[in-house]
Amino acid sequence: MPKVIIVGAGLVGALNACYFSQLGWDTEVYEYRSDVRELEENSGRVINLTLAGRGRKALEGVGLKDEVVRHGLEITHRLVHYVDETTKAHPIARPGEYLLCIGRRKLNTICLDHAEKFPNVKLFFKHKAQKVDPIDGTVTLTKLETQEKVEVSADLILACDGAFSAIRRSLLYYPRFDYSQTFLEDGYIELRIPEKNGKYAWDPNLAHFFPRGNILLVVFANTESKTFNVTLFAPYTKFEQLDTERKQTSFFKETFPDAFRLLGEENIIQAFKRTKPQPLVSVKCQPYTFNGKVVLMGDAAHAMYPFIGQGMNAGFEDCRLLNECLRQYDFDIAKALDVYSKARPKDAHAINDIALRNYHVLRNTIRGPYYVIRRIIDMKLHSILNSLWIPYPSMVLFSDIPYHKVVEKRIQQDSILFFGMTFIGLVIFAYCIQAIF
């Protein structure tokens, strides 16, 4: 059987291991960090994962969807918190559609455990990737415990080693490889709302949003305890202003009063002491495949801002689509990778742009009447036209419509509404003129 090397045992790498283990391929996974399953606390980011339709479909392909859903919380509504402590709930999408909130570590563990059940899968931790040779199909790594350099080879190499991928970096001088990364002027810090009397302090089945213009606070339930993970997004200039404990606590008290009471002053102070604001990066590149042997996947190919909740979902979709390409072309690796690489960047670039635009929606538009009115119109038209008019959030989150097609359909819908409203306005105007004269 062919052999595949997967660099990175995070979410996308682990799910790829599940797919290739079921194909019977000899599968070796190399990870820079320790085994996440053996850590007392995940050392990676804790920005909550929201598993949507694309991600669930990819998990279904390896028989893990039901297992994952069992460990998650269904989120059907977004609860917007205003400064005066009033709230308003908005549905995430159409009735029956929901996001699944689940811990990163738990999901990673489920995928790794499943892959490791197969005898053709080998997992290697504390192995740091250095470079890849797409001509020979080899990866050079360093064993961190001994500093020994090792070289491994395979028929197919999957780079799933994250936004700052070492494999991708070693390919930067490959002919005709386009690459760009963009950092937001905003960063984020993470806090945690403790449990209250052994229970969640708020409704765990809601996504809590606090839009404040150029500042956004997002709160999701932690599925591995009765706590809430809290993420504050703000310009770096704002974080620089919060340079004393008094300023930090005053900022939360004035800007997010209801969240402030649950967080508490000491919790806020310790969060600012514990970590500095973390950067937010978007990565675009193409092609994704090199010499018919190496393919970039997940964040290594298209890291995106976390404001549409599609980073993991798009990465999982990568796994499913690559598997489908391999099957479609009878496991001709070079042909399958060529087809995959020609199609996927267009969609990945589209979802990167969607994620950035949604940041502005979450910080501003979601508070205003336009957002509510547009949602009502979309739902009414959908009830009349069915699949001919699908609301934008549903297309992004719960369909498998290619992302670039989603953008095209959204533009078409905007144009139809603009001309429709213009026509109605002209009719009303003409009627009023006729009535006057």
Side-chain angles (χ1 to χ4, degrees):
M1 294 298 291
K3 177 182 176 182
V4 58
I5 288 173
I6 301 171
V7 180
L11 296 170
V12 175
L15 185 59
N16 266 317
C18 294
Y19 269 101
F20 283 93
S21 64
Q22 292 187 355
L23 290 176
W25 289 31
D26 293 327
T27 305
E28 294 181 0
V29 183
Y30 293 89
E31 169 58 45
Y32 169 67
R33 299 166 300 176
S34 301
D35 189 341
V36 68
R37 298 169 295 178
E38 298 176 359
L39 300 177
E40 291 185 6
E41 185 174 348
N42 192 354
S43 59
R45 297 181 304 161
V46 297
I47 289 180
N48 290 78
L49 299 175
T50 49
L51 190 68
R54 297 172 195 266
R56 291 200 289 270
K57 185 172 182 178
L59 287 167
E60 190 173 23
V62 293
L64 288 179
K65 188 188 79 169
D66 292 342
E67 171 70 8
V68 170
V69 168
R70 188 169 64 86
H71 290 280
L73 288 169
E74 291 186 11
I75 307 293
T76 60
H77 285 73
R78 182 187 293 118
L79 189 68
V80 179
H81 295 248
Y82 298 92
V83 178
D84 63 2
E85 299 191 44
T86 59
T87 59
K88 187 172 182 60
H90 302 289
I92 295 291
R94 296 173 293 185
E97 293 176 333
Y98 65 91
L99 297 173
L100 189 81
C101 183
I102 186 168
R104 178 183 298 271
R105 180 181 179 181
K106 185 62 181 180
L107 181 54
N108 207 166
T109 295
I110 290 172
C111 292
L112 288 174
D113 285 346
H114 182 77
E116 206 170 34
K117 292 178 182 178
F118 293 82
N120 52 313
V121 175
K122 297 179 181 178
L123 305 178
F124 300 89
F125 296 95
K126 297 183 180 180
H127 280 66
K128 183 178 181 179
Q130 301 292 341
K131 62 179 181 179
V132 66
D133 185 335
I135 306 301
D136 296 335
T138 60
V139 179
T140 302
L141 307 107
T142 300
K143 291 183 179 180
L144 295 182
E145 293 179 337
T146 64
Q147 294 303 305
E148 175 189 358
K149 282 206 169 18
V150 295
E151 188 175 272
V152 292
S153 61
D155 301 284
L156 176 62
I157 298 167
L158 308 183
C160 308
D161 52 339
F164 302 102
S165 167
I167 298 298
R168 187 190 63 228
R169 185 173 62 246
S170 73
L171 294 165
L172 288 180
Y173 295 104
Y174 200 86
R176 302 177 67 189
F177 179 41
D178 295 328
Y179 167 77
S180 67
Q181 68 177 30
T182 306
F183 286 91
L184 271 186
E185 294 182 356
D186 297 20
Y188 70 93
I189 64 167
E190 298 168 332
L191 308 93
R192 184 160 290 183
I193 292 175
E195 61 184 39
K196 189 174 182 179
N197 300 323
K199 299 180 180 180
Y200 285 109
W202 272 332
D203 187 339
N205 294 106
L206 295 173
H208 300 265
F209 281 76
F210 301 71
R212 302 291 187 266
N214 66 339
I215 295 169
L216 177 67
L217 192 76
V218 180
V219 181
F220 279 91
N222 188 336
T223 56
E224 297 180 50
S225 66
K226 299 299 182 181
T227 62
F228 282 89
N229 291 331
V230 181
T231 309
L232 172 64
F233 299 98
Y236 273 97
T237 53
K238 183 62 182 180
F239 284 118
E240 290 166 2
Q241 294 171 8
L242 303 177
D243 55 358
T244 68
E245 293 178 1
R246 181 175 174 277
K247 290 180 181 178
Q248 293 158 8
T249 55
S250 295
F251 165 72
F252 269 85
K253 187 175 183 179
E254 295 168 5
T255 313
F256 316 108
D258 39 359
F260 170 78
R261 287 195 297 274
L262 296 179
L263 284 164
E265 290 190 8
E266 186 60 28
N267 196 0
I268 294 168
I269 291 169
Q270 290 304 316
F272 276 87
K273 282 183 177 179
R274 185 170 58 248
T275 182
K276 295 180 179 179
Q278 299 299 301
L280 294 161
V281 66
S282 173
V283 170
K284 293 181 180 179
C285 63
Q286 64 179 18
Y288 288 166
T289 63
F290 304 84
N291 204 47
K293 292 183 179 179
V294 178
V295 56
L296 304 176
M297 304 187 74
D299 282 355
H302 46 70
M304 66 191 69
Y305 305 128
F307 306 119
I308 194 68
Q310 286 293 285
M312 170 191 61
N313 289 280
F316 278 9
E317 190 174 56
D318 290 348
C319 302
R320 178 179 66 82
L321 292 176
L322 178 61
N323 185 266
E324 288 179 359
C325 280
L326 286 166
R327 291 177 180 275
Q328 181 180 353
Y329 293 98
D330 199 25
F331 300 100
D332 182 332
I333 296 174
K335 177 62 177 176
L337 264 57
D338 181 61
V339 172
Y340 175 84
S341 187
K342 286 178 179 176
R344 193 58 176 159
K346 183 161 49 174
D347 290 318
H349 294 177
I351 190 58
N352 278 37
D353 294 338
I354 290 171
L356 178 57
R357 285 196 296 272
N358 205 52
Y359 188 28
H360 301 296
V361 171
L362 294 176
R363 293 187 304 175
N364 297 287
T365 311
I366 194 175
R367 298 183 295 175
Y370 172 82
Y371 180 85
V372 177
I373 293 170
R374 178 59 191 266
R375 178 173 289 280
I376 293 171
I377 293 173
D378 278 339
M379 293 306 297
K380 186 62 177 177
L381 289 173
H382 173 65
S383 67
I384 297 170
L385 301 174
N386 295 317
S387 61
L388 294 178
W389 190 285
I390 303 175
Y392 181 61
S394 294
M395 287 193 288
V396 174
L397 301 174
F398 301 108
S399 77
D400 56 5
I401 299 171
Y403 289 120
H404 80 278
K405 291 289 187 183
V406 170
V407 174
E408 292 174 2
K409 288 177 180 292
R410 176 64 168 189
I411 293 172
Q412 291 172 359
Q413 290 177 349
D414 288 345
S415 298
I416 291 170
L417 284 181
F418 174 78
F419 287 113
M421 296 305 293
T422 300
F423 175 76
I424 292 171
L426 289 173
V427 170
I428 294 173
F429 177 74
Y431 177 81
C432 292
I433 293 296
Q434 186 181 22
I436 293 172
F437 295 102

